[in-house]
């Protein structure tokens, strides 16, 4: 049985990726399960979706804990524990990462000997609309890595799953998926089927038993205000708005008023400041700033810029 | 008539009472209006919320509000508000709380609840003259469950349950008129993309007693299929094309707070959203486009500039 997990952010099309891969397997006469998993959060928040495919009946249910392949649409998720990307990875798990960095860098960073394959991430795109759909990038690559899905089955699956969308969009997605399918040519069959897991070998997770407490201490009343600020929604961001203070006309109210997330405050001098712990990267401020003083840059480029600025500030020892 | 002090952007609050870190989508138009509304209402409010996206705002122990929040079933938010109002009134009458401890009771629901399941409870609350404010953020569908059509979905839009070549076949319910027909203290339409207009309306509603109801159009990136960056621009276009009229019902009269002049063709608005793609691709659906334009034109016919 193949067990494949897709990780991404709401809106990157990972749920669709799992549907497409599942349907492509089905085209090749496999029995298939696919399901998305997300919490209460919305577009931008980490989600995952998973696919099981087998020539015989699938009796397993629930989340995949021992994946043969983990496909990651957004490499910034790897370091976010809540995203659970590394959950249950074993020595034979293949990792497919949409990233700017090399397999060796990731092996080193994660301290893993696993096969790590990279689909080169798009550079210098300032308009999200120009980005190829990460979901299709991953679905195309995964289809090739399992080695049992043909180009035709992949294209048919995409047509089927996206039939409610315009033909232009369908064609673009097929093109994207086939492109990464071909990119992975040298690694066809890199992902192999995992062994059957029998019900007998099932071990329950290591629950931590908590004593039953009275409601007053188990679920205390919260009197603090605006506790949501403890949640760092800045992790959702793929693009970062950056204010160019030389061009900001200090109108203060525009970006700060339009930001749905109260993530832009105006300081005592009337200067707007973006709270990157909470900014989700919607970029409404970029669209609304009257003197166009806010620029959108990809989050990883922004991080690199920050690190460089930091390095030049710290004296060498 | 109530007086408003807000005239321009500079008069809007520069600090934010509403907490960041909510689980709403990046670029949520409903959240954009709610945070602006909250800055004007202030912390002395209690929210009564019917199931919908905004239910996720206050997931224990996290909340963006500075006061209490009550969750009700989809049909029952105004009934929940009645209970809270009555409890507050009893506490006030028994002098167990002072007037300075009184709270504004605010119902917050989506369009699905407001136009459908919750309409009867709202009607009854108005009939009883309940002193409350109702905020409906209208993302024109059942957003929380994946954007199925609601009674507020516009004609021709694609939804998860309107996938045919002509999209949704029904027509958007005129909730403003239905509410106004009850002759409550105040009804208004607004949108987060017009912050001054919205703030003035909230300020007006805050000063009145009795049932007060505001609908804000809420551009929804996943539900309407557009890049989150465009949420406010799309909202502006809804006003400029006249498809979302900004108006108030007060003192028994309906007054438009902004009359778009000249009015842009409605397709300028429609073409910004994937849910209307089928009107333009693979070829233009001239008949449906003309039908939508015609319904907008008929609305504005006879409304003085
Ligand atoms: C009686 C009942 N039926 C169905 C549901 C499931 N449900 C939860 S939220 C939701 C959508 C509500 O739509 P709307 O009021 O427009 O709010 P939105 O999700 O768009 O914010 C539905 C159908 C429910 N909670 N209660
Ligand atoms: S689905 Fe739409 S209304 Fe719901 S949180 Fe997301 S953007 Fe807001
Ligand atoms: Mg809705």
């Amino acid at each position: 049985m193949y067990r494949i997990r897709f990780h991404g952010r709401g809106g990157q099309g990972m749920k669709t990726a799992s549907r497409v891969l599942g349907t492509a397997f089905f085209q090749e006469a496999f029995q298939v399960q696919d399901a998305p998993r997300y919490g209460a959060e919305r577009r931008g928040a980490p989600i995952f979706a998973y696919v099981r495919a087998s020539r015989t009946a699938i009796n397993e249910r629930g989340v995949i804990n021992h994946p043969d392949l983990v496909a990651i649409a957004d490499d910034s998720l790897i370091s976010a524990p809540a995203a659970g990307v590394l959950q249950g990875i074993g020595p034979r798990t293949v990792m497919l990462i949409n990233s700017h960095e090399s397999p060796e860098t990731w092996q080193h960073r994660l301290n893993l000997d696993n096969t790590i394959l990279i689909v080169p991430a798009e550079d210098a795109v300032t308009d999200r609309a120009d980005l190829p759909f990460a979901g299709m990038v991953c679905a195309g690559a995964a289809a090739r890595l399992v080695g049992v899905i043909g180009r035709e089955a992949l294209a048919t699956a995409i047509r089927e799953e996206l039939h409610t969308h315009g033909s232009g969009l369908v064609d673009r997605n097929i093109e994207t998926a086939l492109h990464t399918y071909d990119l992975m040519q040298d690694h066809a069959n890199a992902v192999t089927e995992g062994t059957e897991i029998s019900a007998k070998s099932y071990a329950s997770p290591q629950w931590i038993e908590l004593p039953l407490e009275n409601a007053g201490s188990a679920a205390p009343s919260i009197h603090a205000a605006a506790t949501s600020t403890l949640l760092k929604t800045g992790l959702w961001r793929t693009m970062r708005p950056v204010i160019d203070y030389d061009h900001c006309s200090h109108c203060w109210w525009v970006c700060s008023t339009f930001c749905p997330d109260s993530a832009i405050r105006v300081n005592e001098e009337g200067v707007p400041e973006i709270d990157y712990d909470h900014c989700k990267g919607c970029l409404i401020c970029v669209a609304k700033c009257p003197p166009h003083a806010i620029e959108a840059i990809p989050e990883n480029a922004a991080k690199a810029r920050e690190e460089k600025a930091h390095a030049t500030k710290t004296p060498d020892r | 008539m109530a007086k408003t002090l807000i005239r321009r952007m500079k008069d809007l609050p520069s600090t934010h009472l509403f907490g960041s870190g909510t689980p709403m989508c990046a670029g949520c138009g409903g959240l954009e209006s709610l945070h602006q509304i909250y800055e004007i209402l202030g912390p002395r409010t209690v929210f009564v919320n019917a199931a919908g996206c905004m239910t996720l705002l206050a997931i224990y122990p996290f909340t963006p509000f500075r006061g209490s929040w009550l969750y009700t079933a989809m049909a029952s938010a105004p009934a929940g508000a009645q209970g809270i109002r009555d409890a507050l009134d009893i506490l006030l009458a028994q002098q167990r709380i002072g007037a300075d401890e009184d709270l504004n009771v605010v119902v917050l629901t989506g369009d699905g609840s407001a136009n459908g399941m919750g309409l009867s409870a709202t009607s009854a609350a108005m009939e009883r003259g309940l002193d409350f404010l109702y905020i409906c953020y209208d993302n024109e569908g059942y957003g929380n469950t994946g954007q199925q059509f609601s009674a507020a979905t516009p004609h021709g839009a694609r939804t998860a349950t309107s996938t045919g070549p002509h999209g949704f076949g029904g027509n958007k319910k005129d909730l403003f008129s239905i509410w106004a027909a009850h002759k409550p203290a105040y009804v208004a339409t607004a949108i987060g993309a017009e912050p001054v207009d919205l703030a003035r309306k909230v300020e007006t509603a805050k000063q009145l007693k009795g049932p007060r109801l505001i609908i804000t159009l809420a551009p929804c990136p996943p539900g309407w299929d557009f890049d989150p960056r465009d949420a406010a621009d799309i909202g502006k276009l809804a006003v400029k094309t006249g498809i979302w009229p900004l108006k108030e019902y007060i003192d028994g009269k309906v007054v438009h707070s902004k009359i778009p002049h000249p009015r842009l063709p409605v397709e300028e608005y429609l073409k910004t959203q994937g849910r209307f793609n089928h009107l333009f691709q693979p070829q233009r659906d001239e008949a449906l486009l003309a039908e939508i334009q015609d319904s907008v034109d008929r609305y504005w016919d006879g409304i003085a500039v």
Side-chain angles (χ1 to χ4, degrees):
Chain A
M1 188 189 309
Y2 289 103
R3 298 179 183 86
I4 295 157
R5 229 169 46 209
F6 290 98
H7 290 265
R9 296 172 182 281
Q12 285 179 327
M14 297 318 264
K15 175 179 155 192
T16 311
S18 80
R19 297 222 34 123
V20 164
L21 186 71
T23 304
F25 266 120
F26 190 71
Q27 293 288 327
E28 301 289 6
F30 277 77
Q31 305 212 23
V32 181
Q33 262 179 17
D34 75 73
R37 178 65 82 94
Y38 33 84
E41 290 92 350
R42 322 283 99 176
R43 200 180 239 214
I47 71 140
F48 67 90
Y50 53 91
V51 179
R52 287 191 178 87
S54 169
R55 300 270 184 202
T56 55
I58 301 173
N59 295 318
E60 260 175 56
R61 295 291 183 271
V63 171
I64 290 177
N65 278 320
H66 300 287
D68 308 313
L69 170 65
V70 173
I72 304 149
D74 190 320
D75 62 8
S76 65
L77 287 174
I78 300 175
S79 54
V85 173
L86 301 175
Q87 174 75 33
I89 284 189
R92 44 172 294 284
T93 308
V94 175
M95 294 180 74
L96 174 81
I97 315 179
N98 192 12
S99 177
H100 293 275
E101 279 158 316
S102 69
E104 294 71 31
T105 304
W106 281 111
Q107 276 170 332
H108 177 71
R109 204 174 275 171
L110 301 173
N111 193 19
L112 287 174
D113 299 329
N114 296 49
T115 305
I116 295 185
L117 300 167
I118 299 292
V119 208
E122 215 66 19
D123 257 324
V125 176
T126 49
D127 188 348
R128 275 182 293 231
D130 296 340
L131 281 172
F133 295 106
M136 287 302 146
V137 167
C138 292
R144 187 51 174 245
L145 296 177
V146 294
V148 293
I149 295 174
R151 291 178 116 244
E152 205 32 59
L154 178 60
T156 307
I158 295 171
R159 248 175 246 123
E160 205 166 287
E161 291 304 327
L162 301 184
H163 75 274
T164 56
H165 296 265
S167 58
L169 194 86
V170 173
D171 292 343
R172 247 176 72 207
N173 278 298
I174 292 180
E175 200 180 301
T176 301
L178 289 178
H179 174 70
T180 45
Y181 183 91
D182 293 338
L183 265 186
M184 290 295 136
Q185 167 138 8
D186 295 344
H187 308 284
N189 304 315
V191 175
T192 51
E193 292 187 66
T195 51
E196 296 304 311
I197 301 172
S198 83
K200 282 203 199 82
S201 70
Y202 175 80
S204 61
Q206 294 185 337
W207 304 118
I208 299 171
E209 292 288 341
L210 290 178
L212 195 63
E213 298 200 70
N214 72 37
S217 46
S221 302
I222 307 287
H223 295 283
T227 48
S228 59
T229 50
L230 294 169
L231 297 170
K232 303 286 184 248
T233 42
L235 289 172
W236 298 14
R237 201 169 54 237
T238 53
M239 301 282 277
R240 178 188 295 198
V242 178
I243 302 176
D244 173 355
Y245 288 104
D246 293 338
H247 286 100
C248 166
S249 58
H250 300 176
C251 71
W252 64 258
W253 51 87
V254 173
C255 55
S256 168
T257 298
F258 283 110
C259 172
D261 289 289
S262 309
I264 307 183
R265 67 170 215 124
V266 183
N267 69 17
E268 294 70 29
E269 282 90 56
V271 178
E273 291 169 347
I274 300 180
D275 165 8
Y276 291 117
D277 279 347
H278 296 101
C279 160
K280 295 170 184 163
C282 70
L283 307 183
I284 291 177
C285 56
V286 175
K288 295 313 284 183
C289 171
H292 304 292
I294 311 182
E295 178 197 15
I297 49 179
E299 188 59 22
N300 47 20
K303 286 216 182 85
R305 215 190 255 188
E306 254 174 17
E307 272 160 31
K308 212 164 135 201
H310 187 71
T312 49
K313 264 193 221 129
T314 333
D316 276 341
R317 281 168 204 244
Chain B
M1 187 151 160
K3 286 250 177 319
T4 66
L5 298 172
I6 295 164
R7 312 220 159 271
R8 45 197 187 128
M9 287 293 257
K10 264 218 147 109
D11 300 331
L12 296 175
S14 65
T15 51
H16 299 306
L17 290 172
F18 192 80
S20 333
T22 68
M24 298 298 107
C25 299
C28 173
L31 193 65
E32 185 177 62
S33 60
L34 181 61
H35 100 87
Q36 295 176 24
I37 290 168
Y38 195 64
E39 314 303 342
I40 307 285
L41 286 181
R44 301 217 56 81
T45 46
V46 50
F47 278 81
V48 187
N49 176 242
C53 287
M54 298 277 175
T55 306
L56 306 173
L57 285 177
I59 301 175
Y60 181 86
F62 303 109
T63 176
F65 297 113
R66 286 163 192 276
S68 292
W69 186 88
L70 177 77
Y71 174 54
T72 71
M74 264 187 92
S76 324
Q82 179 84 51
I84 295 181
R85 186 62 263 161
D86 289 352
L88 286 166
D89 287 344
I90 291 167
L91 291 173
L92 283 164
Q94 297 177 344
Q95 296 181 345
R96 286 159 67 192
I97 58 170
D100 57 330
E101 289 172 287
D102 192 15
L103 300 170
N104 270 313
V105 183
V106 184
V107 163
L108 175 69
T109 82
D111 52 289
S113 177
N115 289 269
M117 281 177 256
L119 184 54
S120 148
T122 315
S123 174
M126 283 191 271
E127 190 185 317
R128 295 188 301 266
L130 176 62
D131 184 27
F132 80 128
L133 175 65
Y134 191 132
I135 311 243
C136 164
Y137 59 98
D138 181 0
N139 62 0
E140 308 194 313
Y142 287 101
N144 190 41
T145 42
Q147 197 71 2
Q148 296 80 14
F149 72 76
S150 76
T153 298
H155 189 60
R158 185 187 73 219
T159 72
T161 41
S162 330
T163 54
H166 306 294
F168 180 58
N171 292 293
K172 189 177 174 75
K173 204 182 258 189
D174 185 358
L175 186 62
F176 175 90
S177 300
I178 295 170
W179 278 352
H182 291 74
K183 304 196 179 0
Y186 187 71
V187 188
T189 60
I191 189 163
E194 294 287 353
V196 177
D197 182 76
L198 173 60
R200 289 171 65 90
K201 286 170 176 166
V202 177
E203 210 192 11
T204 304
K206 193 179 167 185
Q207 297 167 42
L208 296 170
K209 280 243 166 258
R212 295 147 288 152
L213 308 94
I214 298 177
I215 317 171
T216 64
L217 186 70
C220 165
W224 299 9
D225 191 6
F226 63 81
D227 189 286
R229 173 199 306 240
D230 301 325
D233 288 335
I234 288 174
K236 266 228 165 353
L237 277 171
V239 175
K240 285 186 178 164
T241 58
I243 200 166
W244 185 249
L246 295 178
K247 53 187 169 179
E248 291 174 292
Y249 166 89
I250 187 166
D251 298 335
K253 284 196 298 281
V254 174
V255 183
H256 284 81
S257 55
K258 225 179 193 119
I259 297 180
H261 186 71
R263 231 181 317 118
L264 296 180
V266 73
E267 63 173 272
E268 296 300 314
Y269 168 74
L270 303 175
K271 72 185 183 200
T272 56
Q273 303 154 53
R275 64 175 174 157
F276 294 114
N277 258 350
H278 53 282
L279 298 182
F280 303 97
Q281 281 165 357
Q283 65 270 333
R284 288 171 60 89
D285 187 340
E286 297 293 356
L288 192 43
L289 283 167
E291 196 186 336
I292 298 172
Q293 183 64 59
D294 191 49
S295 75
V296 175
D297 292 345
R298 264 185 292 129
Y299 175 87
W300 290 101
D301 266 356
I303 291 173
V305 178

